[in-house]
Amino acid sequence: MTSASLPRAGLVVVQPLRRKHCARCRRGPQPLLVLEDGAPRCPDCADLGHLVFLPRGDTALTRRAREESTLWAVVVRFNRRKGRYERQGLLVEEDALTRAERRCLADAEARRRRRARDARRRAAQDALFVAAFAAEIRRLYPGCPAERALAVAAHAAERGSGRVGRSAAGRALSEGAVTSAVAASVRHRETPYDHLLMAGVARPEARRRIAPAVRSVLRSWRETGAEAVAGPGPAAGPAAEAAEAAEAAAG
């Protein structure tokens, strides 16, 4: 637990991953700790013992409890896989939490209707974006079946997935982002990539082995008519050269 990796704004309380004791009262192990002068303190020794824990999940209740509470602290826990601290909830005054709960109960139905409207709006926005992403796939790779292009777009653009379609480049429909999404689909469906991973082949090596096959499929989808019948050939022109470069990087 290091102060350099903790959030910098406001009071911060940590849920430790290991069994730790308070450096002042020596009680423990403690479920919550505050880092003061490089030493862990329990909430009681840090003058936060009167606060109650509000888990994350209810945005309205969290916001209102924070507004109602004179003193509050963010509770975080370190995520080893992501290498960062993540919010788990808040410590707030018990009376403040009660008042916040009453406020939330008073307008629960209005907030439910608003969430429903927001969900419909997001769904409509996502549908338009998936259609645009699929159209860009078909423009760059006219040989890609329409159903496949739509499936690739829907997968890449899934909200909250963190995939390339949700990146800034993906939202801008950049050629590199679109090619990366198509290449990822080809990698899993048209090559033995998944079997190589299951056989214990390291991911970089597995990608190296199947890269020519990925490029071959992308090239065949990019070419249409007589060019596709003739088979893979040298790229011609700046646009084709750019496509070849993007495919090589994606492979």
Side-chain angles (χ1 to χ4, degrees):
M1 185 169 64
T2 61
S3 59
S5 55
L6 290 172
R8 297 182 182 275
L11 296 174
V12 178
V13 177
V14 177
Q15 290 180 344
L17 299 180
R18 298 179 181 177
R19 295 166 61 89
K20 288 184 176 292
H21 291 65
C22 175
R24 176 173 294 174
C25 67
R26 302 298 180 182
R27 289 181 299 176
Q30 294 288 340
L32 297 173
L33 289 170
V34 181
L35 196 65
E36 289 186 348
D37 300 324
R41 302 277 194 270
C42 67
D44 285 334
C45 291
D47 294 331
L48 300 177
H50 63 295
L51 302 181
V52 295
F53 178 57
L54 172 61
R56 66 179 181 179
D58 189 325
T59 303
L61 182 59
T62 296
R63 174 174 52 81
R64 287 171 172 175
R66 189 173 60 237
E67 292 171 353
E68 295 283 353
S69 191
T70 303
L71 179 66
W72 56 271
V74 177
V75 178
V76 300
R77 184 170 61 217
F78 190 72
N79 185 318
R80 287 197 180 102
R81 184 176 63 84
K82 297 181 180 179
R84 66 170 185 251
Y85 281 92
E86 296 180 332
R87 291 188 176 223
Q88 303 302 309
L90 294 179
L91 289 181
V92 296
E93 296 164 343
E94 189 168 7
D95 289 346
L97 179 56
T98 300
R99 291 193 296 272
E101 289 171 337
R102 288 172 180 166
R103 289 173 59 187
C104 287
L105 285 173
D107 64 354
E109 179 59 23
R111 288 185 294 111
R112 186 195 65 78
R113 291 196 298 268
R114 183 168 63 248
R115 286 195 299 270
R117 290 195 302 271
D118 291 344
R120 289 193 295 270
R121 186 186 71 252
R122 288 192 297 268
Q125 292 172 344
D126 289 349
L128 290 173
F129 178 59
V130 168
F133 202 99
E136 186 64 10
I137 291 175
R138 292 279 290 163
R139 186 186 73 80
L140 293 172
Y141 300 98
C144 176
E147 301 82 5
R148 180 68 176 278
L150 190 60
V152 171
H155 181 76
E158 183 179 351
R159 188 179 291 270
S161 66
R163 301 186 186 115
V164 66
R166 304 309 304 185
S167 67
R171 291 193 297 271
L173 299 178
S174 75
E175 183 170 334
V178 172
T179 294
S180 292
V182 178
S185 177
V186 171
R187 189 180 301 123
H188 291 286
R189 292 184 55 176
E190 273 79 22
T191 78
Y193 179 67
D194 292 350
H195 295 289
L196 291 174
L197 295 180
M198 288 299 296
V201 178
R203 189 170 64 88
E205 173 60 19
R207 285 201 172 201
R208 186 192 67 79
R209 293 185 190 181
I210 56 91
V214 172
R215 288 195 294 270
S216 178
V217 173
L218 294 181
R219 189 180 301 116
S220 70
W221 282 355
R222 180 161 39 82
E223 295 168 348
T224 57
E227 292 178 349
V229 173
E241 291 173 0
E244 289 281 3
E247 291 162 11

